[in-house]
Amino acid sequence: APAAAPAAEETKEQLHARLASLINAQPMVLFMKGNPGEPRCGFSRKAVAMLQQVDAQFGHFDILTDQAVRQGLKEYSNWPTYPQLYVKGELIGGFDIIEEMKEAGELKDLVNEAAA
């Protein structure tokens, strides 16, 4: 897992650089509460389950371990809630979007795109 925030206060620029690094760490990254083996909220658990159902290979980041990321990503992405799914550095959306894509049969396409 990525290292926790440094003890010194980050500038907004430093935080945004760190967020960009986390978002781009893998082709598909889920920012969630907890981790895939132990989700800490129902929406995160359901998002993980939907991704696993389409055999997604995805990285994850537990926002509960890092308040700077938890608050900063909301501003960075202009998306107020978690989980947040990113593919190739682009915000796909939260739980509702993941669910809509799965129901429409588009989630598997997104997974394939991420793996390409």
Side-chain angles (χ1 to χ4, degrees), residues 5-16:
E9 196 63 35
E10 286 176 293
T11 66
K12 186 178 269 194
E13 290 75 20
Q14 288 169 325
L15 175 59
H16 282 193

Side-chain angles (χ1 to χ4, degrees), residues 1 19 29 46 53 59 66 70 73 81 84 92 102-103 116:
L19 292 172
V29 182
K46 290 174 186 170
Q53 286 166 9
D66 193 321
R70 184 177 185 173
L73 191 63
T81 58
Q84 292 185 15
I92 301 304
K102 183 172 187 308
E103 288 175 1

Side-chain angles (χ1 to χ4, degrees), residues 23-38:
I23 288 166
N24 290 288
Q26 296 189 43
M28 182 176 278
V29 182
L30 184 68
F31 288 82
M32 61 180 292
K33 294 179 179 176
N35 62 62
E38 196 175 323

Side-chain angles (χ1 to χ4, degrees), residues 39-106:
R40 300 277 296 276
C41 88
F43 292 115
S44 290
R45 183 178 63 249
K46 290 174 186 170
V48 166
M50 286 187 286
L51 290 170
Q52 290 174 338
Q53 286 166 9
V54 292
D55 300 321
Q57 298 294 311
F58 62 97
H60 65 277
F61 186 89
D62 180 356
I63 59 159
L64 299 177
T65 65
D66 193 321
Q67 278 302 315
V69 168
R70 184 177 185 173
Q71 295 307 319
L73 191 63
K74 291 179 184 183
E75 182 183 308
Y76 182 90
S77 64
N78 200 24
W79 194 271
T81 58
Y82 291 100
Q84 292 185 15
L85 182 66
Y86 288 79
V87 172
K88 296 189 173 177
E90 296 283 319
L91 174 66
I92 301 304
F95 171 76
D96 292 347
I97 304 289
I98 298 168
E99 186 175 50
E100 286 171 18
M101 291 185 78
K102 183 172 187 308
E103 288 175 1
E106 297 167 357

